[in-house]
Amino acid sequence: MIDQFGRTIDYMRISVTDLCNLRCKYCMPEPFDWLSHSEILSYEEILRIAQAAIRLGITHFKVTGGEPLVRKDIVQFIGRLRALPGCKAVTLTTNGVLLGELAQPLKQAGLDAVNISLDTPDADRYAQISGVDALPKVMQGIDAALDAGLKTKLNCVLLQDTKDQVVALAELAEHRPLDVRFIELMPIGEGMQGGGFSPQQARACLLQRWPDLHPINEQRGYGPARYEASEKLMGRIGWIDAVSHGFCEQCNRVRLTCTGQLKPCLCYESGTDLRALIRSGAGEETLYKALQQAIYKKPSAHCFAQQDEITENRIMAQIGG
Ligand code: SAM
Ligand code: SF4
């Protein structure tokens, strides 16, 4: 559907849990109060919302979390979401730890593509950042995703702590059909503390290694990433610089948190409580109208440049990234 600023909104990120098997420093504070089971939407509730969203023209869904693959029966859920009439694509964002065993069943269930988060390919550094010695599992997950024939991208948050890892991460695209995308740290949750590395500096590092790196005009997914190519890289390099290179004018997405809040913009905590609506017995038409209103009123832009205007206090794992 078209929002009040004329943007076509056809993409929804769905967070299915706040739980995670990692503790990435920039995302998950310790200790952390997990939500109770009853606060989280059931798969049936999510599918009802997705059906209403499809009626409004939302055709692409990204399943996220917390870590989506830790939720029981996630493969079956993804299959059911993908099978909804009118759904054109379901993709997944995961830390990759459980992907080694799940990539093939996910592909069979109809998953279209996967984004795997990886901030360093060095095992010790990985354990320092994520709190778990899980790099071999993630690397297995990447191979399993490629072997299963899933379109696969890596998402790497640019951190001061890992600025010397940028080239090693991009090297993973040398001999694999894998896009490596660098994400600017956003001032959300633990990211409020800062500690990001600038995309401009990261690009300068890459240019020393691949001087022919150049922008290309290719649409390689459903998001705002800008891509570059080098003769020496099989995959592409992507940049998602939401803070310094805002792309709100082309924003096509809304978010559904795991507690059922429809969140029109990452920056603001406000949203529509669809869980309350569903659990009070609302019918399909009421649900449809609530979604329609919430999407129509999507704010014109985020406020990352004026951090005192950010009203979102939850961490990324609660919102879904
Ligand atoms: N657990 C899954 C994963 O790590 O891919 C899905 C959820 S995670 C919240 C989604 C994405 O958000 C990850 O790529 C993660 O690196 C990113 N992320 C978390 N906090 C962030 C922040 N403050 N700024 C930018 N990206 C962030
Ligand atoms: Fe978990 Fe993803 Fe957050 Fe890391 S970024 S702690 S994997 S939710």
Side-chain angles (χ1 to χ4, degrees):
M1 71 169 273
I2 311 279
D3 76 355
Q4 60 176 330
F5 299 104
R7 296 169 297 194
T8 299
I9 310 299
D10 53 9
Y11 175 95
M12 180 184 274
R13 290 179 75 95
I14 298 177
S15 173
V16 294
T17 181
D18 65 331
L19 296 177
C20 188
N21 46 1
L22 299 184
R23 297 286 178 275
C24 301
K25 277 187 185 166
Y26 55 85
C27 176
M28 182 87 56
E30 294 263 30
F32 180 63
D33 278 337
W34 306 106
L35 295 162
S36 65
H37 186 65
S38 63
E39 290 174 277
I40 306 277
L41 289 188
S42 68
Y43 287 145
E44 276 63 34
E45 289 170 328
I46 299 175
L47 290 168
R48 272 188 69 191
I49 294 170
Q51 269 168 320
I54 290 171
R55 266 182 76 197
L56 284 163
I58 290 180
T59 51
H60 288 60
F61 296 90
K62 166 89 73 203
V63 177
T64 174
E67 172 48 40
L69 297 186
V70 301
R71 184 158 172 185
K72 195 163 169 270
D73 297 333
I74 188 69
V75 175
Q76 290 83 341
F77 166 71
I78 285 178
R80 290 172 71 192
L81 180 61
R82 185 65 183 87
L84 289 178
C87 172
K88 292 194 184 149
V90 175
T91 60
L92 174 76
T93 293
T94 171
N95 59 35
V97 174
L98 298 174
L99 202 54
E101 54 215 81
L102 292 179
Q104 192 68 48
L106 282 164
K107 172 73 180 171
Q108 274 161 7
L111 186 73
D112 292 278
V114 64
N115 293 347
I116 303 170
S117 302
L118 179 68
D119 303 322
T120 167
D122 177 275
D124 293 336
R125 307 280 289 277
Y126 186 89
Q128 277 163 21
I129 292 169
S130 72
V132 183
D133 182 12
L135 184 73
K137 287 258 177 211
V138 180
M139 299 310 289
Q140 269 172 31
I142 295 171
D143 289 340
L146 290 169
D147 289 349
L150 286 164
K151 270 190 256 165
T152 306
K153 294 175 184 153
L154 294 190
N155 282 345
C156 321
V157 176
L158 287 167
L159 302 168
Q160 278 294 335
D161 280 355
T162 51
K163 59 183 181 193
D164 59 338
Q165 298 293 293
V166 168
V167 169
L169 283 164
E171 277 172 353
L172 296 174
E174 262 182 333
H175 306 296
R176 295 177 176 89
L178 187 69
D179 291 351
V180 175
R181 308 171 342 147
F182 293 99
I183 302 182
E184 196 171 13
L185 183 71
M186 289 181 251
I188 294 284
E190 295 296 284
M192 284 271 189
Q193 319 296 329
F197 182 53
S198 87
Q200 294 74 16
Q201 286 173 293
R203 185 167 189 272
C205 300
L206 296 189
L207 277 174
Q208 283 183 4
R209 176 80 160 74
W210 296 284
D212 72 327
L213 198 66
H214 60 278
I216 49 169
N217 204 2
E218 274 176 18
Q219 188 65 34
R220 297 180 69 78
Y222 224 60
R226 297 176 292 113
Y227 285 95
E228 300 201 89
S230 158
E231 282 290 307
K232 301 277 168 27
L233 294 172
M234 191 185 272
R236 303 293 192 230
I237 301 299
W239 302 99
I240 305 180
D241 31 16
V243 183
S244 60
H245 197 272
F247 24 69
C248 300
E249 277 171 28
Q250 287 91 42
C251 187
N252 61 350
R253 62 196 52 201
V254 289
R255 293 174 163 80
L256 180 67
T257 68
C258 58
T259 57
Q261 187 197 39
L262 188 84
K263 195 174 151 49
C265 178
L266 192 55
C267 205
Y268 307 102
E269 63 81 43
S270 58
T272 302
D273 187 352
L274 298 178
R275 183 185 67 190
L277 206 64
I278 288 179
R279 293 190 183 172
S280 67
E284 302 317 317
E285 218 42 45
T286 311
L287 188 57
Y288 172 83
K289 292 231 166 76
L291 264 153
Q292 189 177 41
Q293 254 183 24
I295 296 173
Y296 183 74
K297 286 200 222 135
K298 184 173 155 67
S300 64
H302 67 56
C303 55
F304 289 149
Q306 301 88 37
Q307 288 201 15
D308 51 338
E309 288 178 24
I310 299 176
T311 55
E312 182 53 85
N313 290 312
R314 286 168 294 187
I315 63 166
M316 269 311 193
Q318 291 173 309
I319 306 166

